[in-house]
Amino acid sequence: MNNSEKSTVTEFVLLGFPGGQEMQIFLFSLFFGVYISTMMGNGTIVCAVRWDQRLHTPMYILLGKFAFLKIWYISSTVPSMLANILSETKTISFAGCFLQFYFFTSLGTTETYLLCVMAYDRYLAICRPLHYPTIMTLQLCYILMFLCWLFGFLSYSVPAVQLSHLSFCGPNIIDHFLCDMDPLMSLSCAPAPITEIVFYILSSLIIILTLLYILGSYTLLLIAVLKVPSAAGQRKAFSTCGSHLTVVCLFFGGLLAMYLSPTSENPAELQKIITLFYSVVTPFLNPLIYTLRNKEMKAALKHILTQSNILK
């Protein structure tokens, strides 16, 4: 096959979600509302941590950066999905498709690393409370967050470049609402087993190792909490960790179903639902999970709203 034949595909067609015009309008309204709510909810957490001095501790700084990450994570998929719903051609450029794939996977990887750091923070706070202030300093907190972003964006840089250099000579139709590994690999003209193996080994290692670390941290944490003599102390410890553990279960549940199960045997619609769950639903639920169960965060939000009313 010559080079001109290999470079025939200059854009991809994202089929998105099935349905007539009325269904497309409904889906656009639904996802637009979810996106705006997610941006406002997570943005409020970011502002609360930034402006309230009482939240300038490692735990809340990590929470603020996690909310900031969620804003970027949902923004890597939903705006293009909304544009795709309104589009008649439903096309995305070759470069745009692989950029979306890279940012979507990199931001998701950054989230897994950041969840590990948050678990480490809770482990230190509850299992080693006397040493916590000297170990988890603000400097260490910022260094760990920087490393999460750095390694998050480095992890899939090689697979993304390898994938973009495959030959795509047609067809160019992707039965999904975003550019992901499985549909792109299926469109490649020539088999690329090494690229596929590297991607899935890397994905498996990242998901399994980070999940095992988080579960290990919470196992030690649970043992320590059960040794607390007072019921009030146990409730306080569980309340500070319950929100984080809920987010971990929601996010990793979707990742495990998508990347560590035989998704090739699943219908395309099921893959879309799973992807929607961990890429759209979890960022949407994040503010609700962390604010409804956290007294300090609720107090900070009330303080900000009170200050804004005074300024008006």
Side-chain angles (χ1 to χ4, degrees):
M1 185 178 289
N2 59 43
N3 290 334
S4 62
E5 289 175 326
K6 289 184 179 181
S7 59
T8 53
V9 172
T10 58
E11 61 184 15
F12 295 98
V13 177
L14 292 171
L15 293 183
F17 300 94
Q21 184 177 4
E22 292 184 357
M23 175 59 70
Q24 297 300 310
I25 293 174
F26 169 75
L27 290 174
F28 178 86
S29 303
L30 175 64
F31 292 135
F32 181 75
V34 168
Y35 181 65
I36 295 299
S37 300
T38 303
M39 296 289 285
M40 293 179 62
N42 286 286
T44 302
I45 292 178
V46 172
C47 293
V49 175
R50 176 67 179 85
W51 293 335
D52 196 315
Q53 295 289 333
R54 294 171 296 180
L55 301 183
H56 289 184
T57 61
M59 173 182 166
Y60 289 105
I61 290 174
L62 288 170
L63 176 56
K65 299 305 179 185
F66 186 73
F68 177 75
L69 172 62
K70 285 293 190 182
I71 291 174
W72 284 101
Y73 191 47
I74 194 172
S75 296
S76 69
T77 57
V78 173
S80 62
M81 181 171 61
L82 293 174
N84 179 267
I85 291 174
L86 296 178
S87 172
E88 293 184 0
T89 60
K90 298 186 180 299
T91 58
I92 182 172
S93 68
F94 186 90
C97 186
F98 286 99
L99 280 175
Q100 184 188 59
F101 167 75
Y102 173 67
F103 279 101
F104 178 67
T105 53
S106 296
L107 289 166
T109 306
T110 302
E111 180 168 345
T112 63
Y113 296 154
L114 191 54
L115 286 171
C116 286
V117 174
M118 295 170 75
Y120 176 63
D121 174 73
R122 291 299 83 208
Y123 162 77
L124 288 177
I126 293 175
C127 297
R128 303 184 64 183
L130 298 179
H131 299 91
Y132 176 72
T134 56
I135 297 176
M136 185 54 79
T137 61
L138 290 180
Q139 182 181 9
L140 177 62
C141 182
Y142 282 112
I143 290 174
L144 291 175
M145 288 189 295
F146 170 76
L147 292 175
C148 287
W149 283 87
L150 177 63
F151 287 109
F153 275 80
L154 287 177
S155 295
Y156 283 96
S157 56
V158 173
V161 172
Q162 289 178 326
L163 186 61
S164 66
H165 280 80
L166 296 180
S167 57
F168 295 91
C169 50
N172 65 339
I173 298 175
I174 298 175
D175 191 6
H176 212 315
F177 62 85
L178 55 77
C179 296
D180 206 355
M181 185 69 179
D182 280 338
L184 286 172
M185 285 296 302
S186 66
L187 295 181
S188 175
C189 298
I194 295 178
T195 300
E196 193 168 6
I197 290 171
V198 168
F199 177 84
Y200 284 107
I201 289 178
L202 182 61
S203 298
S204 300
L205 286 175
I206 291 173
I207 295 172
I208 293 175
L209 292 179
T210 53
L211 182 58
L212 286 177
Y213 178 84
I214 294 171
L215 293 178
S217 299
Y218 274 96
T219 300
L220 296 175
L221 190 149
L222 178 62
I223 294 173
V225 169
L226 293 177
K227 292 180 180 179
V228 176
S230 67
Q234 291 183 355
R235 283 195 300 269
K236 183 177 180 180
F238 281 126
S239 66
T240 59
C241 302
S243 300
H244 180 248
L245 199 54
T246 302
V247 171
V248 168
C249 292
L250 291 174
F251 183 68
F252 276 94
L255 289 182
L256 290 171
M258 189 66 189
Y259 293 108
L260 297 186
S261 64
T263 53
S264 58
E265 300 178 2
N266 294 334
E269 299 308 315
L270 180 58
Q271 294 189 32
K272 294 176 189 178
I273 292 172
I274 295 172
T275 306
L276 267 179
F277 182 77
Y278 70 82
S279 65
V280 178
V281 176
T282 55
F284 171 72
L285 294 177
N286 184 62
L288 298 175
I289 294 171
Y290 278 110
T291 55
L292 292 178
R293 297 175 61 93
N294 194 296
K295 294 180 180 179
E296 289 81 3
M297 183 60 68
K298 286 191 288 187
L301 294 176
K302 288 180 181 178
H303 177 70
I304 291 174
L305 293 174
T306 302
Q307 290 295 107
S308 61
N309 290 331
I310 292 174
L311 291 176
K312 289 180 180 179

